[in-house]
């Protein structure tokens, strides 16, 4: 019997064969009939049509859990295996996607948690009471290609992926919970974003996923790695570590996480000793190179951003090389992973600090984990075989039994139940694996929250009040036939309280609050690790209060109770400064002592501070101390000597003056002009006493007195001597003239006597008495310069010096100064002459007076010692 859809299809096909225009005039019912008929036709002739028009490029090989016989289907993706198995890349046969290997108990527990959560939601009457959730869960094998395969298959609804088409006719797809690592989620999010399909991740923390431009439908129940990078940086700064090494997985999770960490710590002055990349497909050479780098580096702190799968080969190599005395900073991806916690690891990872997402207890989960049917599906079979080291395959078990027997044969009883064959009755409770360990439910709790987020979004969609909906014309979506973007609206705005924990969950632009526990690896005497919470980080708190850490609770990987030091160079103590090493990080430096006169009073000073003019650095170069003030003091040996000499000279001079006073009326004193003699003695006393003024702390008056007093004293002394010398010179010249005339008269008398004797006249008497009437002679006893002239000469000469000194004192007077150049540690207080020109002129004038006095005195050097100086008297010049 021909159905309406078939009749419509045949009619349209024949019509469009002649003219395709009738398709434009179809009613909605006719169009529905047309599409239904077309689908039936495609199903009837699918094989022929496929062979003639389409070619299957590859066939996917995916492990999965499926239950699509419910009203709504929730997708899931977990890395149940660690890697893709190597396969024959023969291009002569139809390519088939590779299988997976390396069963991961931890992620298998996450998978079972999703199944447990869906079952718990379906049993609830207050959440989706009229809707049961189904599921489609794929194994991504921790590989991008498998994640893409699973995504396409999930969207298509059949094992052969057909992009842009949903070929299945089952329940509508709600959202994808997954897809594990950040790299996998980035790949799946790009695909799902094309179709506005919601994705809620439990494990992908990479900060790149926060871009809603690239990943518009991505949400997650794990904090953004920006929070974790900040928390790690704060931890490093908290303990004062300035020299750290970094290791990051060669994927988006590792690259973005370590990049943000390095930016923050480098801005704070921390240096990176080394930065290694851990390949996702590690080779022994790469692992060995990284181990050598860790051993050679002096950094004691190593920050690792990596998944447990990528990190486990490196940890195994570190254990083989016994690399100890390092403190590791773990990211949340491996901080509680049993894959890393290998036997004997305490010497390597003891004292590790890391950040774990929020932990919770989930009632009933352990019972669900232990209630497994080993024959339910291929993944559970593989888990059972791996957990109990047996096989479900009878033929394989028999082959292994034959290979293990000595003669290669197996008994009849052995063939019935060969050794190594799983019975299915093994007891999961006896297992001590990460699968049954529910003490650290952190990522498991994220899976739990992600499934509940989808369920609450569906609940809000289902209970939308007609006419009050958020969509066009206030419409609501139909829970049995909704579009992914409609559910995305409810997911973005969902807000709920997680059962059993009371945590409130909501998405802020697809992100949750950044909360972490700070976890310390502490090993007991039996070598078993205990994950001890020693602090927490809350990204929603004020910046100064985000991190709380209890130092006393931390056990370090050393015998000391103090945090390890990790510095390239030890701190420069006060008194030294940093000297940067050329070509090395700024944290590597030499400590250079400050120069004389410079100090540094802080640790790690970049420059030394110059002390003030009156200060000098102490011996430790960490403080400026006042310089020693030095001047010629009265109590010093030199000062005492100078005082004694000055006093002695002054007293002798005064003594001479006293003698002059006693003999004031004698001819000798009178002949030497008493007043001029007293002025001479006074000038000598002044000159002797002026030297004492140089002692003691200089003051302006003392500087001026010492210099001027000395200059005037010399001037008075020398001018007095010059006055006396002039008189002596004049007298000497007069005596010389008299001697010349006397000799001439004597020679004339002698000639006359001889002439008379020769003439024979006895009456002629010759005498040598000079003729008193001769007025042409000079009387040497009568000075041409009187005492008044001498005093005037001395006064004028001294006055000239006094005028010069007065001008000196007015224009540039001598003044006290601090001489800091002569000695570094001392300030010498001394008098500055003010003007070198003035003082040179003044003392040059004194020298001139001295020269004049010397010349006058030198000229009068042959004056007879028996010269009588009585004024008006004569000189006995006659000879016998």
């Amino acid at each position: 019997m021909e159905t309406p859809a078939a009749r419509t299809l045949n009619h349209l096909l024949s019509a469009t064969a002649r003219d395709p225009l009738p398709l434009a005039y179809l009613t909605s019912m006719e169009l529905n009939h047309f599409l239904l008929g077309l689908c039936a036709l495609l199903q009837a002739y699918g094989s022929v049509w496929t062979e003639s028009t389409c070619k299957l490029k590859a066939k996917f090989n995916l492990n999965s859990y499926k239950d699509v016989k419910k009203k709504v289907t929730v997708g899931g993706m977990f890395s149940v295996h660690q890697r893709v198995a190597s396969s024959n890349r023969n291009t002569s046969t139809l390519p088939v996607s590779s299988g997976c290997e390396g069963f991961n108990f931890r992620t298998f527990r996450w998978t079972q948690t999703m199944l447990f959560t869906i079952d718990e939601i379906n049993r609830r009457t207050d959440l989706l009471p009229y809707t049961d959730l189904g599921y489609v869960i794929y194994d991504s094998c921790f590989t991008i290609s498998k994640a893409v395969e699973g995504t396409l298959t999930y969207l298509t609804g059949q094992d052969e992926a057909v992009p842009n088409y949903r070929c299945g006719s089952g329940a509508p797809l709600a959202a994808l919970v997954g897809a594990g690592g950040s790299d996998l989620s980035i790949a799946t999010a790009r695909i799902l974003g094309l179709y506005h399909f919601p994705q809620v991740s439990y494990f992908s923390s990479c900060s790149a996923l926060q871009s809603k431009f690239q990943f518009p439908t991505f949400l997650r129940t794990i904090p953004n790695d920006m929070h974790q990078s900040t928390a790690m940086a704060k931890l490093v700064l908290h303990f004062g570590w300035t020299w750290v090494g970094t290791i990051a997985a060669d994927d988006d999770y590792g690259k973005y996480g370590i990049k943000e960490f390095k930016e923050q710590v480098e801005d704070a002055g921390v240096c990176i000793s080394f930065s290694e990349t851990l390949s996702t497909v590690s080779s022994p050479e790469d692992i060995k190179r990284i181990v050598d780098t860790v051993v050679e580096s002096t950094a004691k702190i190593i920050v690792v951003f990596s998944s447990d799968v990528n990190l486990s080969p490196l940890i195994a190599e570190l254990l083989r090389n016994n690399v100890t005395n390092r403190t590791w900073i773990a990211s949340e991806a491996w901080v509680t992973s049993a894959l890393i916690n290998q036997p004997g690891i305490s010497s390597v990872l003891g004292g590790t600090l890391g950040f774990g997402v929020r932990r919770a207890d989930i009632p009933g989960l352990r019972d669900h984990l232990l209630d497994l049917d080993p024959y339910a599906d291929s993944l559970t079979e593989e888990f059972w075989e791996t957990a109990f080291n047996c096989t479900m395959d009878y033929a394989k078990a028999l082959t292994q039994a034959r290979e293990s027997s000595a003669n290669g044969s197996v008994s009849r009883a052995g063939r019935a139940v060969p050794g190594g064959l799983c019975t299915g009755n093994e007891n999961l409770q006896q297992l001590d694996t990460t699968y049954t360990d529910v003490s650290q439910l952190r990522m498991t709790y994220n899976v739990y929250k992600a499934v509940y987020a989808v369920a609450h979004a569906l609940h809000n969609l289902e209970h939308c009040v007609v006419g009050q909906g958020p969509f066009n014309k206030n419409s609501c979506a139909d829970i049995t036939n909704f579009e992914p973007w409609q559910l995305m609206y409810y997911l973005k705005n969902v807000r709920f309280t997680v059962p059993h924990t009371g945590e409130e969950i909501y998405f802020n632009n697809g992100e949750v609050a950044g909360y972490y526990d700070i976890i310390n690896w502490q090993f007991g005497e039996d070598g078993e690790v205990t994950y001890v919470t020693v602090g927490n980080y809350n990204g929603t708190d004020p910046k100064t209060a985000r991190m709380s850490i209890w130092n006393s609770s931390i056990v370090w990987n050393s015998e000391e109770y103090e945090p390890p030091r990790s510095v390239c160079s030890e701190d420069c103590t006060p008194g030294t400064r940093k000297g940067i090493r050329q070509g090395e990080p700024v944290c590597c430096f030499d400590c250079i002592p400050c120069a004389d006169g410079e100090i540094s009073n802080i640790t790690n000073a970049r420059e030394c501070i110059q002390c003030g003019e009156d200060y000098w650095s102490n011996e430790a170069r960490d403080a400026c101390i006042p310089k020693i003030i030095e001047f010629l003091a009265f109590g010093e040996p030199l000062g005492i000597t100078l005082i004694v000499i000055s006093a002695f000279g002054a007293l002798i001079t005064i003594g001479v003056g006293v003698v002059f006073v006693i003999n004031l009326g004698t001819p000798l004193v009178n002949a030497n002009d008493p007043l001029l003699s007293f002025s001479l003695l006074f000038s000598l006393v002044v000159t002797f006493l002026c030297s004492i003024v140089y002692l003691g702390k200089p003051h302006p008056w003392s500087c001026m007195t010492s210099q001027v007093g000395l200059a005037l004293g010399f001037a008075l002394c020398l001018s007095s001597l010059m006055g006396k010398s002039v008189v002596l010179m004049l007298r000497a010249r007069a005596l010389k003239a008299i001697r010349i005339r006397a000799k001439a008269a004597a020679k004339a008398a002698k000639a006359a006597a001889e002439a008379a004797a020769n003439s024979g006249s006895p009456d002629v008497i010759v005498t040598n008495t000079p003729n008193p009437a001769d007025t042409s002679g000079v009387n040497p006893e009568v000075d041409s310069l009187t005492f008044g002239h001498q005093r005037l000469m001395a006064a004028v000469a001294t006055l000239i010096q006094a005028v010069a000194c007065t001008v000196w004192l007015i224009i540039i007077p001598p003044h006290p100064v601090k001489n800091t150049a002569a000695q570094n540690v001392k300030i010498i207080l001394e008098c500055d002459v003010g003007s070198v020109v003035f003082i040179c002129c003044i003392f040059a004038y004194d020298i001139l007076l001295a020269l004049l006095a010397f010349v006058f005195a030198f000229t009068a050097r042959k004056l007879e010692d028996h010269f009588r100086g009585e004024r008006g008297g004569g000189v006995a010049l006659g000879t016998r």
Side-chain angles (χ1 to χ4, degrees):
M1 180 177 178
E2 189 177 28
T3 63
R7 287 196 301 271
T8 303
L9 176 64
N10 291 330
H11 171 72
L12 289 174
L13 288 176
S14 59
T16 53
R18 299 186 301 271
D19 182 7
L21 191 60
L23 285 175
Y25 300 98
L26 291 178
T27 64
S28 59
M29 182 175 293
E30 288 174 337
L31 182 59
N32 287 336
H33 289 165
F34 171 74
L35 293 176
L36 289 174
L38 182 60
C39 287
L41 183 64
L42 289 175
Q43 289 178 356
Y45 301 102
S47 59
V48 177
W49 177 76
T50 300
E51 291 179 0
S52 60
T53 60
C54 299
K55 295 181 180 179
L56 187 63
K57 295 298 183 181
K59 186 173 180 60
F60 296 157
N61 179 17
L62 296 169
N63 297 311
S64 63
Y65 286 99
K66 289 184 180 181
D67 181 7
V68 295
K69 298 179 180 180
K70 298 293 191 294
K71 185 180 286 188
V72 179
T73 300
V74 179
M77 195 170 294
F78 299 87
S79 301
V80 180
H81 291 85
Q82 299 178 12
R83 55 191 171 272
V84 173
S86 59
S87 60
N88 180 18
R89 300 295 180 182
N90 187 359
T91 57
S92 62
T93 59
L94 179 67
V96 179
S97 65
S98 302
C100 302
E101 61 184 9
F103 200 88
N104 191 326
F105 288 165
R106 186 187 186 201
T107 50
F108 185 66
R109 184 183 67 207
W110 299 349
T111 307
Q112 291 298 321
T113 300
M114 181 172 177
L115 298 176
F116 164 79
T117 308
I118 290 175
D119 181 64
E120 182 179 84
I121 292 170
N122 288 339
R123 286 186 280 106
R124 289 181 58 169
T125 58
D126 59 332
L127 182 63
L128 292 174
Y130 311 113
T131 301
D132 286 340
L133 299 180
Y135 52 83
V136 175
I137 302 175
Y138 290 108
D139 176 15
S140 67
C141 302
F142 204 70
T143 308
I144 294 178
S145 61
K146 284 292 182 183
V148 172
E149 290 178 9
T151 304
L152 294 175
T153 302
Y154 176 65
L155 291 174
T156 301
Q158 61 184 27
D159 291 340
E160 290 80 14
V162 182
N164 297 332
Y165 286 93
R166 170 71 178 169
C167 300
S169 58
L173 304 178
L176 177 69
V177 176
S182 295
D183 269 8
L184 311 185
S185 285
I186 287 175
T188 57
R190 292 190 187 280
I191 297 174
L192 295 174
L194 296 175
Y195 306 105
H196 307 285
F197 200 94
Q199 176 183 356
V200 184
S201 178
Y202 52 86
F203 193 60
S204 304
S205 56
C206 178
S207 59
L209 287 163
Q210 70 184 347
S211 171
K212 294 308 167 189
F213 178 76
Q214 297 185 67
F215 312 103
T217 60
F218 179 82
L219 306 96
R220 50 186 164 192
T221 56
I222 186 172
N224 190 326
D225 271 342
M226 291 183 64
H227 296 293
Q228 183 171 204
S229 298
T230 302
M232 285 184 168
K234 284 186 174 292
L235 181 70
V236 168
L237 297 176
H238 172 79
F239 289 108
W241 295 323
T242 59
W243 187 236
V244 300
T246 62
I247 299 176
D250 190 18
D251 54 21
D252 291 318
Y253 170 72
K255 291 177 181 177
Y256 279 90
I258 210 67
K259 174 179 175 290
E260 289 158 6
F261 165 79
K262 288 166 67 175
E263 287 177 353
Q264 295 192 43
V265 296
E266 286 176 343
D267 288 343
V270 178
C271 295
I272 306 301
S273 172
F274 62 87
S275 187
E276 290 290 341
T277 300
L278 194 61
S279 176
T280 53
V281 184
S282 59
S283 64
E285 293 78 12
D286 292 337
I287 296 296
K288 186 67 169 60
R289 174 182 52 79
I290 297 175
V291 170
D292 292 341
T293 301
V294 172
V295 171
E296 293 170 3
S297 173
T298 57
K300 302 300 181 184
I301 308 300
I302 303 173
V303 178
V304 181
F305 249 103
S306 172
S307 66
D308 53 352
V309 175
N310 292 332
L311 183 61
S312 57
L314 175 62
I315 298 299
E317 186 66 21
L318 291 169
L319 185 60
R320 278 192 293 272
N321 286 270
N322 194 28
V323 180
T324 59
N325 196 27
R326 302 290 191 278
T327 297
W328 300 79
I329 309 299
S331 63
E332 98 291 337
W334 67 275
V335 66
T336 58
S337 171
L339 189 63
I340 302 298
N341 183 18
Q342 304 172 12
I345 203 65
S346 60
S347 60
V348 177
L349 294 182
T352 292
L353 287 174
F355 293 86
V357 296
R358 195 185 298 269
R359 175 190 170 277
D361 294 322
I362 303 177
L365 177 61
R366 178 175 171 80
D367 294 336
H368 172 83
L369 295 176
L370 298 177
D371 186 21
L372 283 184
D373 179 5
Y375 304 104
D377 52 79
S378 60
L379 279 176
T380 308
E381 285 185 8
E382 186 177 356
F383 161 74
W384 205 273
E385 291 176 343
T386 306
F388 295 104
N389 194 23
C390 60
T391 179
M392 295 286 190
D393 188 344
Y394 174 82
K396 183 178 179 181
L398 186 61
T399 301
Q400 291 177 349
R402 288 173 178 172
E403 292 176 351
S404 61
S405 64
N407 54 8
S409 61
V410 182
S411 63
R412 179 171 298 180
R415 286 196 298 271
V417 184
L421 181 67
C422 298
T423 64
N425 297 321
E426 289 82 4
N427 190 356
L428 282 175
Q429 292 185 355
Q430 297 178 352
L431 285 178
D432 184 18
T433 64
T434 185
Y435 173 74
T436 57
D437 182 10
V438 293
S439 62
Q440 293 290 329
L441 298 181
R442 298 182 185 274
M443 295 302 171
T444 303
Y445 181 47
N446 283 348
V447 175
Y448 189 73
K449 291 187 289 186
V451 177
Y452 261 101
V454 175
H456 276 277
L458 287 169
H459 180 86
N460 294 339
L461 182 149
E462 184 180 30
H463 288 78
C464 173
V465 178
V466 178
Q468 300 179 10
F471 307 117
N472 186 29
K473 297 181 180 179
N474 298 325
S475 62
C476 296
D478 183 2
I479 189 69
T480 62
N481 186 23
F482 60 87
E483 295 296 330
W485 59 268
Q486 293 176 315
L487 179 62
M488 184 65 199
Y489 168 82
Y490 288 100
L491 261 176
K492 288 169 59 177
N493 298 282
V494 74
R495 196 180 192 105
F496 66 96
T497 301
V498 183
H500 316 301
T501 66
E503 181 186 0
E504 187 178 20
I505 296 297
Y506 61 92
F507 295 108
N508 182 8
N509 201 28
E511 308 283 352
V512 294
Y515 179 90
Y516 298 92
D517 289 330
I518 302 175
I519 299 171
N520 181 218
W521 285 37
Q522 300 182 9
F523 288 87
E525 295 181 356
D526 57 354
E528 291 295 324
V529 66
T530 303
Y531 303 112
V532 179
T533 299
V534 295
N536 57 69
Y537 177 87
N538 192 343
T540 60
D541 289 342
K543 286 187 176 181
T544 56
R546 288 182 179 179
M547 177 175 286
S548 299
I549 188 165
W550 311 303
N551 294 0
S552 58
S553 302
I554 301 175
V555 176
W556 302 100
N557 191 14
S558 63
E559 297 179 356
E560 300 178 358
Y561 294 98
E562 295 296 323
R565 287 183 56 79
S566 184
V567 294
C568 181
S569 299
E570 292 296 333
D571 291 337
C572 289
T573 58
T576 61
R577 66 173 178 85
K578 285 184 178 181
I580 304 301
R581 298 175 186 170
Q582 194 68 25
E584 296 189 29
V586 294
C587 295
C588 301
F589 49 82
D590 297 316
C591 294
I592 302 173
C594 292
D596 290 341
E598 296 180 347
I599 66 159
S600 64
N601 52 11
I602 60 173
T603 303
N604 291 331
R606 294 186 178 275
E607 294 180 352
C608 294
I609 305 170
Q610 182 74 40
C611 289
E613 184 180 4
D614 295 343
Y615 292 86
W616 193 251
S617 56
N618 61 357
E619 187 175 351
R621 304 288 196 275
D622 59 359
C624 289
I625 57 176
K627 289 183 178 180
I628 300 172
I629 298 178
E630 190 174 79
F631 51 87
L632 191 56
F634 290 96
E636 293 183 4
L638 182 59
I640 295 173
T641 303
L642 188 58
I643 292 173
V644 170
I645 294 174
S646 299
F648 179 76
L651 290 174
I652 294 296
T653 306
I654 293 172
V656 173
V658 171
V659 172
F660 265 67
V661 171
I662 294 173
N663 298 279
L664 192 59
T666 61
L668 179 62
V669 173
N670 293 334
N672 282 279
D673 189 357
L675 185 59
L676 204 58
S677 298
F678 283 127
S679 66
L680 175 61
L681 293 174
F682 174 75
S683 67
L684 290 175
V685 172
V686 171
T687 303
F688 278 120
L689 295 180
C690 278
S691 60
I692 298 178
V693 183
Y694 283 97
L695 300 178
K697 186 176 181 180
H699 294 88
W701 67 266
S702 62
C703 290
M704 291 188 289
T705 302
S706 60
Q707 299 289 348
V708 174
L710 194 61
L712 290 176
F714 278 136
L716 181 58
C717 177
L718 293 172
S719 60
S720 298
L721 289 175
M722 184 181 66
K724 290 179 175 292
S725 300
V726 168
V727 172
L728 293 176
M729 180 192 69
L730 293 176
R731 288 177 180 175
R733 291 180 63 185
L735 288 174
K736 183 177 180 182
I738 292 172
R739 289 193 190 98
I740 294 174
R741 288 195 300 271
K743 286 183 180 181
K747 186 181 292 187
K750 184 177 180 181
E754 288 179 354
N758 292 332
S759 63
S761 176
D763 295 328
V764 179
I765 300 174
V766 180
T767 68
N768 59 357
T769 301
N771 184 5
D774 186 5
T775 58
S776 62
V778 179
N779 187 358
E781 293 192 6
V782 180
D783 295 334
S784 60
L785 294 177
T786 64
F787 286 162
H789 293 111
Q790 296 178 38
R791 294 168 185 171
L792 181 60
M793 185 182 298
V796 171
T798 305
L799 183 60
I800 293 173
Q801 184 72 297
V803 171
C805 289
T806 303
V807 174
W808 179 23
L809 294 179
I810 293 174
I811 298 178
I812 310 177
H815 56 276
V817 294
K818 297 176 180 179
N819 185 350
T820 58
Q823 296 188 43
N824 291 331
V825 297
K826 294 181 180 180
I827 298 176
I828 300 176
L829 297 181
E830 58 187 15
C831 290
D832 187 285
V833 296
S835 172
V836 177
V837 175
F838 267 107
I839 196 169
C840 288
C841 292
I842 287 170
F843 284 100
Y845 179 72
D846 288 337
I847 295 173
L848 176 63
L849 294 177
L851 289 175
L852 291 175
F854 173 76
V855 170
F856 296 155
F858 184 80
T859 304
R861 69 186 183 284
K862 294 183 179 181
L863 188 63
E864 282 80 352
D865 293 337
H866 62 273
F867 168 74
R868 184 167 55 87
E870 184 178 356
R871 196 157 190 80
V875 179
L877 298 176
T879 59
R880 294 182 182 268

